[in-house]
Amino acid sequence: MSDLGSEELEEEGENDIGEYEGGRNEAGERHGRGRARLPNGDTYEGSYEFGKRHGQGIYKFKNGARYIGEYVRNKKHGQGTFIYPDGSRYEGEWANDLRHGHGVYYYINNDTYTGEWFAHQRHGQGTYLYAETGSKYVGTWVNGQQEGTAELIHLNHRYQGKFLNKNPVGPGKYVFDVGCEQHGEYRLTDMERGEEEEEEELVTVVPKWKATKITELALWTPTLPKKPTSTDGPGQDAPGAESAGEPGEEAQALLQGFEGEKDMRPGDEDADVLREESREYDQEEFHYDMDEGNINSEEEETRQSDLHD
């Protein structure tokens, strides 16, 4: 899930080489509004200060990429939009030619990332929307990867927990729209290999979900004090008090046959949690796609080839 960077689209420095039309100061430096055609075929139109791009401007690369935004002494700095050769674009804050601060990246497959950036990478709090499925990751990023506390939201259920190296790890829970929560944890296990693969040294580690219990949704509802009536006698409980704090009928049904621990991989069709109350849901959505957050490597190679054309 890597992004193109401005370091791969190097801009020409400003000097007297090349064509220029615009203002100059007493020292003959480019100063004020101007238009330049650089020796490498790139063009710039915008503000100058003491011979450097400074202020608002538009820089167009000969390969079709362009930057529209603020400059400080030849560096992209402040608010700006960068449109890459493959059509993807970044809109947001820049610092010293790097995506830095808050911004939105629009990918060529229509995915989007909205959140914090640090030194050109997704870093901090951010939301990644998967256009194909409508799912989204909302949480922490570290050096471009999904890592830390987060929520993975699907069409009719969500997972809340922690991530490491793009995979869910440790304790967490699935929250279902039918009105219950499944608690458990993800444990990293070695993927089973066939006999022909036994000699290979590489072992694929995958997260495996182990469910422990099901509860009702943890919702808080206010309770008002009840005034005693003539029919209420000592030792009599208010109607419905016997069921206070107990799981409802739906959760009770899901709990039947679910005592103790059972191994369940997200997507298992025979998992107890997918009983009658949740049959309407697509069971494949319970499978955590470890590659879902990765931009296709072919797309990345296409980007790289566009940049070197």
Side-chain angles (χ1 to χ4, degrees), residues 41-44 58-62 65-67:
D42 296 349
T43 63
Y44 172 77
I58 301 175
Y59 192 105
K60 296 181 179 180
F61 296 83
K62 64 180 179 180
R66 62 188 182 276
Y67 171 78

Side-chain angles (χ1 to χ4, degrees), residues 42 61 68 108 111 123 128 132 142 155 213 216 225 260-261 266 274 288:
D42 296 349
F61 296 83
I68 306 166
I108 57 176
D111 288 359
H123 190 92
Y128 192 100
E132 183 176 357
V142 177
L155 179 62
K213 64 178 180 178
E216 283 191 315
E261 293 188 357
L274 302 181
Y288 179 78

Side-chain angles (χ1 to χ4, degrees), residues 16 34 56 65 68 85 132 156 183 185 212 225 293 298:
D16 289 334
Q56 194 73 22
I68 306 166
E132 183 176 357
N156 45 35
H183 302 256
E185 65 176 316
T212 56
E298 294 180 1

